[in-house]
Amino acid sequence: MKITNVEFVISAVQPHQYPDDALPEFALAGRSNVGKSSLINRMIMRKGLARTSSQPGKTQQLNYYRVNGQVYLVDFPGYGYAKVSKVQRQQFGTMIETFLSDREPLKMVLLIIDIRHAPSKDDVLMYDWLKHFEIPVCVVTTKADKVPRSQWDKQIKLVKQTLGFQTGDHHVLFSSETGLGRDELWAVINSMIEETSEEAEETAEVSIE
Ligand code: GTP
Ligand code: MG
């Protein structure tokens, strides 16, 4: 996908701050430090737009990036970071749960998993939540550059098994370092946008009859 324009729109902490232009949204969820912000930067080809850090806990709000005036990538705070206070963790949890349960423009969650490790309990919980709310999922195994190619299949299998990956879910192997998987992930995003706009047209047609 050719990126012509990217805007950082808002760091939202309250639902009333979320954009109201109804563009399709794709949110990135995953453990702290897994590489969500780096993945956004790679997707939009802007090195420092989404703030990244080797220190976990960098992203603390829902950060909205509008790409080509067509779609939002939404960077979530990471979960599972021990040094975040209990109150803060509860606030994050509530914010994310509210978002997932009640966000009409949300088309899909990209669940970002480090290919080097089996998904954590929090990852499995997030996956189960997404299933519960019937939100389409794309599991993105990232940091592929950190393991030898010969181990990719074995690690992907481990990730899928631990999550209970279901047929119909998408999976993309990714590296923010090398750009592996970037085109494939844009293809998944674009196919979801097309699918949902077709559904919207069908609904519109039905309501005319
Ligand atoms: P929080 O905002 O704390 O939730 O973290 P995050 O998930 O946004 O992680 P971030 O993108 O800040 O990346 C964390 C660290 O991992 C940084 O040091 C990145 O440079 C590194 N990193 C991210 N993706 C990759 C990757 O694909 N390959 C390699 N080698 N390093 C990566
Ligand atoms: Mg981040």
Side-chain angles (χ1 to χ4, degrees), residues 33 35-38 50-53 57-60 75-78:
N33 222 28
K36 298 175 295 298
S37 304
S38 305
R51 302 265 297 281
T52 64
S53 169
K58 186 78 197 165
T59 309
Q60 304 211 343
D75 198 5
F76 270 25

Side-chain angles (χ1 to χ4, degrees), residues 130-143:
L130 298 172
K131 289 288 149 191
H132 171 77
F133 291 122
E134 298 181 343
I135 298 166
V137 187
C138 181
V139 173
V140 181
T141 43
T142 194
K143 303 196 181 180

